[in-house]
Every structure is written in C-alpha cells, then in structure tokens.
Amino acid sequence: MTNSMSLTILVIEDEAPIRRFLRASLPSHGYRLEEADTGENGLRQAAMHKPDLVILDLGLPDIDGLEVTKRLREWMSTPIIVLSARGREDDKIAALDAGADDYLTKPFGMGELLARLRVALRRTIRLPGETADPVFRVGDLRVDLLRRQVWVGDAEVHLTPIEYKLLTTLVQHAGKVLLHRHLLSEVWGPDYMQENHYLRVYMGLLRHKLEIDPARPRYLRTEPGVGYRLAAE
C-alpha cells in the first residue's frame, strides 16, 4: 500500500471537537487532512482534493450524510468510513447500502479508527472506467456529476431523475458495454432486470435530448442483443 504520508483524508464533520481530535491525531500517523463542516462543502472538497479516504458524519446541518454518500458514489469509489452517534442496526445498514465501506459509532477510540483506516485503504482500487474527475466530457457532451448538470455544447439539458440515473450509470463505465440487466438493476432495481423495453424507451428519450441525430447516435451506442455503451472519446 502507498505510504500514509502521501494519503489525504477528507473529514466531513460539523462537530468542531471531533474535527479538532482528528486534526490532532491523524497527521501524527502520517495522514494529510482536509476538512468540511457541511455536506455541500464536503462534496466540493472531495471534487477539489480527490481524497484517498472520506470520514463522514451522518448528522450534517444541511444534507444528511446518507445523501452525501450517495452523491459521492455517483463519481468516486474512494472508501467512506461513517462516524455517527446513530448506533441502530438499521442506521448502519442504511449507510452501508448507500455506499459506505465501514461504520463507527461515536464515541470511538483512535486505535480502532486507525485500524479501520488501514483496512479500508488496503482495499482501495480504482475501478475500471471510474471517472477521476467529477466532470465527464466527450465531444460536445459534458456531465458535471458534482453539480448534477448536463450540457451539450453551450446548452444545458434538463433530464428527468431516471434519465439522469441512466446517463450517470453509463458515465461511470464509459467506453465499456453494460448489459441490459446491469443497467436495469442499477437504474430501476433488481426486480426490473427483465424489462428491456424500459431501456429502449429511456435510451430513446436520452438520445433525443443529447444527440444531434438520434437515429445515428454519437454518444449512446447500442450493442445489439447485449446492452449499451457510452462513447469515451
């Protein structure tokens, strides 16, 4: 594993005493810290610094930590360790389902946190097709995953939630063919893995919004009988 001296940890936590504790403890173990006290600021810091790991509180003043986790997971696979006073099993399951890698209940010991950090960082890999930048670009198409905006040239394109989820799923694996069942499971859920007509309808809607000639798509490619692929270049 990379030496911890080169690793950056982003702490998204609104409780100043917790931030001070981490600021006093983690650098002495070789980690570089960035801090945010709100969810929105945390999302901006994540895009700016591209941390190696995120420590996240669930009870943030502006956005619930579960929503922050989901939004981070739209464009990054960086490990997320949740620190929270919410100790119920349902809360832990919800955090893990949202995309967190681990969960520590407050109060916590520094020894345990350091051990969890080491484990999470050992598992860290860059997933194939993961976007290293929160803004995906190909041709005139631009998808800002942080601000949740889509542009074609100078014109912003407004998508429905389903259209946006379908597009960002393709963005996360740009250049690779995604099977019908994978897209259906990711966008609509595992109960819809046989509903291929959903994909045909929504891919048609996306093409009419994003392509110059929907009948001859530049970006949203069909792999007949298999799935769809978003052009990466």
Side-chain angles (χ1 to χ4, degrees), residues 16-26 108-110 113:
I18 298 289
R19 292 202 309 277
R20 283 197 298 269
F21 174 59
L22 295 175
R23 193 185 309 137
S25 304
L26 291 179
F108 58 91
M110 181 51 58
L113 176 59

Side-chain angles (χ1 to χ4, degrees), residues 140 152 207-219:
D140 288 333
V152 175
R207 283 172 172 158
H208 275 89
K209 291 184 177 183
L210 303 180
E211 303 280 5
I212 294 175
D213 182 356
R216 301 177 63 186
R218 157 77 171 85
Y219 309 117

Side-chain angles (χ1 to χ4, degrees), residues 101-121:
D101 295 86
D102 207 344
Y103 192 112
L104 269 179
T105 304
K106 297 177 182 177
F108 58 91
M110 181 51 58
E112 183 177 9
L113 176 59
L114 287 169
R116 303 287 185 97
L117 290 177
R118 290 192 295 270
V119 170
L121 289 166

